[in-house]
Amino acid sequence: MASFTEYIINERDPADVYLHWDCKYQLDDGVSLSVEQTGAWCYDCSMVVAAEHVPSLAALDARIADLDDPNHILLVGFGRAALDRERITLPIRRSWRSHRESPARCLECGSTDIFALDADDCTEPRHNKRFRVTSGGHASMCWDIVRRLSPEGEVTFTDDPAKNIKFG
């Protein structure tokens, strides 16, 4: 499975991005942490790509504080087990983030020269490209591409057949 978002660029050019479901950080203590992702314009790839979303510590603190809300979206939509998983994961994510030094990376090429498409309608400032979400959802894939990243977001392993990458 993967999620996808379709965009229209400058009201004429279609683009889409698939976010990877089996994409995890391998932390130094052996813990795996799922990579939060967003669509982004990668200046090096010159296309819309999946990229890391590296939340601020303040945003993570707000998410942790929000776990006690009796109307939390996870509790309402998915039940107690989903909220309990978030209670376990968010402190790990906050600890990882407190040590993270590099900015978010493109998950295709590893560049940090990206513009996150974090709104349904946004304009990147360098080339004045407008990106507007037209649709999105979930898709079944023939196979799930596995990606493992270092805590700084560098790919340490992938089974992506489009990549002819040798690691370590």
Side-chain angles (χ1 to χ4, degrees):
M1 287 291 280
S3 61
F4 70 94
T5 305
E6 294 179 338
Y7 297 90
I8 190 87
I9 305 171
N10 292 333
E11 298 303 325
R12 68 176 185 274
D13 300 320
D16 57 7
V17 63
Y18 290 85
L19 304 183
H20 309 285
W21 280 32
D22 196 356
C23 188
K24 295 181 173 45
Y25 298 109
Q26 293 302 128
L27 304 182
D28 294 334
D29 59 3
V31 171
S32 292
L33 181 66
S34 64
V35 175
E36 292 183 346
Q37 300 170 57
T38 187
W41 178 258
C42 178
Y43 293 103
D44 289 355
C45 293
S46 294
M47 65 183 201
V48 174
V49 297
E52 293 177 285
H53 169 71
V54 179
S56 69
L57 287 172
L60 288 169
D61 288 340
R63 285 169 57 185
I64 290 169
D66 191 41
L67 291 172
D68 293 327
D69 179 354
N71 296 312
H72 193 284
I73 191 167
L74 285 176
L75 182 60
V76 172
F78 299 101
R80 172 87 30 218
L83 188 63
D84 289 345
R85 276 191 302 277
E86 195 76 346
R87 284 187 196 284
I88 293 167
T89 302
L90 279 176
I92 296 168
R93 189 170 303 284
R94 190 189 188 292
S95 176
W96 157 78
R97 179 60 183 95
S98 71
H99 295 97
R100 174 74 182 241
E101 294 180 12
S102 62
R105 296 180 185 276
C106 167
L107 292 172
E108 289 298 313
C109 73
S111 173
T112 59
D113 194 13
I114 60 175
F115 175 77
L117 305 175
D118 52 10
D120 287 347
D121 192 343
C122 57
T123 302
E124 66 83 24
R126 197 179 299 175
H127 302 293
N128 205 34
K129 289 181 187 279
R130 179 180 177 207
F131 297 87
R132 188 171 51 81
V133 172
T134 57
S135 68
H138 298 289
S140 292
M141 307 299 279
C142 293
W143 69 91
D144 285 328
I145 294 172
V146 174
R147 282 203 169 97
R148 296 297 176 260
L149 308 180
S150 73
E152 290 296 320
E154 296 151 326
V155 176
T156 59
F157 172 81
T158 185
D159 65 354
D160 185 344
K163 305 279 185 206
N164 187 15
I165 301 172
K166 304 271 188 226
F167 300 99

